[in-house]
Amino acid sequence: MASRDPRWVLRDRPSVALIAGLVLAGLCALASFSFDLFNGDPVYFFIALALALAPVPVLLAAVLALDRMEPEPRSNLIFAFAWGAGVAVLVAGLVNSFNLVYIENTARLGYDTARNIAATFGAPVVEETMKGLVLLGLLRFRRTELDGPTDGIIYAGMVGLGFAMSENVSYYVAALHDTGAQGLAVTVVLRGILSPFAHPLFTSMIGVAVAYAAQRQGSVRVFVIAAGWIGAMLLHGIWNGFASYVGLGGLVVAYLLLMAVLIVLIWIVFRDRTRIVGLIHTYLPAYRATGLVTPYDVYMLSSLPGRRQARRWARANGGKPGLRAMSDYQLAATELGLLHERARRGVIDERTFNEEQGALLRCMAAARAAFPASRQAPGGNVPPGHLPPPPFPPESGPRPPSPPGPYPLPG
C-alpha cells in the first residue's frame, strides 16, 4: 500500500461503473425529453426546459449547503442527480402512463378521475421506488459513504432535484399546450417556486432510513428501510391526493405538512453535525503524539466557521494549492473520526480499518506538509498551533497511541 496514492481513501475518483451509469442516465434523460420535444411544438419544449433549469443552481446550492461538515464525493452526487433526471423519470413516466391507461380502460372512468387515482395511489409507489433505488445502490456498493442521516438526506435531495427538474419540463410543456402562457405561469409558481423541494423531501424519508441501515447490522435494517420507503410513498401520496381531490385548501395543508417535514430534516442535520463534532473530540486527540493533530486542529474542525477561517488563511498564504491542502486535511481528519465510529459499530473489519486509517494519516501528513510555509497568519487569524509539523510517514515515523476503538493501528 505504500506506493498507492493515499487520496484514494477520500473517494472522489470516478470509476468505469460510474461513467457507464452516467452515460445510461444521460441516454434515459434524452429519451424522456424526446417525448416532449417531438410530441408538440419544439418551441414549447425549449421554453419549458429553460424554466425547469433556471432554479436548479440555487436549489443545488441549498441542498449542498447542508453537506459542509463531511462533503460527499462529487462523482456520487452527480450520479444521484443524473439518475433522478434520467433513469428514474423515464421509467416512472412510462409506468405511470400505463397505469393511467389501465385504470381508465379497466374501471371505465373518465380521464380526470383516472388521473387523480393514478397520481394519488400509483405515482408515489412508482416514483419513490425509482428514486430510492439509487440509495439502495449506495448502500450496496458505497456503504461507507453513508456515515449518518445527513448523507442520506443529501443523496435523496440530489436524486429528487434531478427527478423534479425533468418532470417539470413535461408539466410546463403540457401547461403551454393546454392553457397557454397563463397556465404556464400558474404551473411554474406551484411547482418551481412554492414546492421545488417536494420530491427531495419525499425521498429523504428513504435517505434517512438507508443511512441508518448503513450504520447497523442485522435484520432490523430491512424493517427500517421498509418504514422509510412507506413513509416516502405516504408523504408523496398525501401531497398528490390533497392537490387532486381537495383543491387549493388541500394544497395549503399539504404544503404546511412539507414545511414541517423540512424543519424536522434540518433539525436532524444539525443534530448529526453535533454527533460528528463529538466523534472528532473523542477520537482525534489520541493522534496528538504524531504531530498531525493539535488542540487547535480539534477546535478548528469542530465548527464550520473555524473551518472556513482556516481555508481562508490557507488560500491567502498558499493560493489554490494551500486551499486544497487545507480542504484535504479537514476531510481526512473528519473521515478518521467517522472511521473509528464505523469500526465501533462493527460495520467494517479490522483489515479495512487498518488500511483506511493508514491512508487517512498519510493524507493528513501530506496535507500538513503542503500548508503555507508562513509562520505568521494575517491578523492572527490562525494560531501558531495550526502550523504544519514535519511530515509523518506512517511506515517509519512515530506511532500514535492506540485511539479509542476496537482495532489497533496498522502494524
Side-chain angles (χ1 to χ4, degrees):
M1 297 300 297
S3 61
R4 187 179 183 184
D5 180 0
R7 293 194 79 258
W8 68 267
V9 77
L10 301 183
R11 301 182 182 89
D12 197 12
R13 297 180 181 274
S15 63
V16 174
L18 175 67
I19 294 172
L22 289 174
V23 171
L24 173 63
L27 292 174
C28 289
L30 290 175
S32 177
F33 289 152
S34 68
F35 291 114
D36 298 312
L37 178 61
F38 297 114
N39 291 338
D41 190 334
V43 175
Y44 286 177
F45 168 77
F46 288 108
I47 292 173
L49 181 62
L51 289 172
L53 287 172
V56 169
V58 176
L59 299 176
L60 289 176
V63 171
L64 295 179
L66 304 176
D67 190 33
R68 292 180 291 172
M69 185 65 74
E70 185 247 340
E72 295 305 301
R74 286 170 293 181
S75 55
N76 289 355
L77 296 174
I78 292 171
F79 178 74
F81 183 87
W83 177 277
V87 178
V89 157
L90 178 62
V91 176
L94 292 174
V95 175
N96 286 339
S97 297
F98 287 135
N99 285 342
L100 176 58
V101 172
Y102 178 81
I103 294 171
E104 190 177 8
N105 293 335
T106 303
R108 299 183 183 278
L109 299 172
Y111 174 79
D112 290 340
T113 301
R115 182 184 60 185
N116 290 341
I117 292 174
T120 303
F121 301 102
V125 175
V126 175
E127 294 177 8
E128 295 312 315
T129 296
M130 289 310 305
K131 288 184 290 179
L133 286 177
V134 76
L135 292 162
L136 284 186
L138 285 168
L139 179 62
R140 174 63 179 84
F141 300 106
R142 299 289 178 92
R143 182 178 179 182
T144 55
E145 295 298 342
L146 298 169
D147 292 304
T150 298
D151 294 344
I153 292 170
I154 294 300
Y155 286 117
M158 294 299 290
V159 68
L161 287 179
F163 189 97
M165 180 200 72
S166 292
E167 188 181 55
N168 281 347
V169 173
S170 298
Y171 275 93
Y172 295 164
V173 168
L176 272 170
H177 184 269
D178 295 339
T179 55
Q182 183 176 359
L184 174 64
V186 172
T187 305
V188 169
V189 169
L190 290 177
R191 296 188 62 86
I193 298 176
L194 293 181
S195 59
F197 287 114
H199 275 289
L201 289 177
F202 303 152
T203 314
S204 289
M205 303 296 101
I206 303 175
V208 171
V210 168
Y212 179 89
Q215 297 299 310
R216 301 295 188 279
Q217 300 285 357
S219 60
V220 67
R221 298 183 300 162
V222 176
F223 296 103
V224 170
I225 293 174
W229 220 287
I230 292 171
M233 292 187 294
L234 285 176
L235 191 62
H236 195 157
I238 290 171
W239 171 265
N240 286 0
F242 274 48
S244 300
Y245 290 106
V246 187
L248 182 60
L251 194 61
V252 171
V253 173
Y255 187 79
L256 292 176
L257 175 61
L258 286 189
M259 290 301 99
V261 171
L262 177 61
I263 292 171
V264 171
L265 290 177
I266 292 174
W267 175 78
I268 289 174
V269 169
F270 278 97
R271 284 290 302 270
D272 198 34
R273 284 183 185 173
T274 302
R275 178 186 69 90
I276 294 174
V277 169
L279 297 179
I280 290 171
H281 280 271
T282 299
Y283 296 116
L284 263 62
Y287 291 90
R288 287 177 60 182
T290 67
L292 292 177
V293 179
T294 69
Y296 175 74
D297 292 323
V298 175
Y299 173 80
M300 176 269 294
L301 291 165
S302 299
S303 72
L304 293 177
R307 292 179 179 225
R308 285 195 299 269
Q309 178 177 297
R311 291 195 298 270
R312 284 197 297 266
W313 170 80
R315 187 182 184 100
N317 289 272
K320 289 184 178 179
L323 176 61
R324 176 63 177 271
M326 180 62 72
S327 298
D328 281 354
Y329 178 84
Q330 292 177 350
L331 179 57
T334 306
E335 291 285 357
L336 185 58
L338 292 168
L339 178 69
H340 278 282
E341 182 66 6
R342 288 197 294 271
R344 187 185 70 81
R345 290 184 180 277
V347 176
I348 57 175
D349 57 27
E350 183 174 356
R351 178 181 177 181
T352 301
F353 175 86
N354 289 336
E355 183 179 84
E356 295 194 9
Q357 181 196 46
L360 288 170
L361 291 174
R362 291 192 290 276
C363 282
M364 293 167 66
R368 292 193 72 98
F371 281 179
S374 170
R375 290 285 171 177
Q376 297 296 329
N381 288 335
V382 179
H386 199 231
L387 296 173
F392 169 63
E395 293 80 11
S396 60
R399 299 288 183 181
S402 296
Y407 302 133
L409 292 170

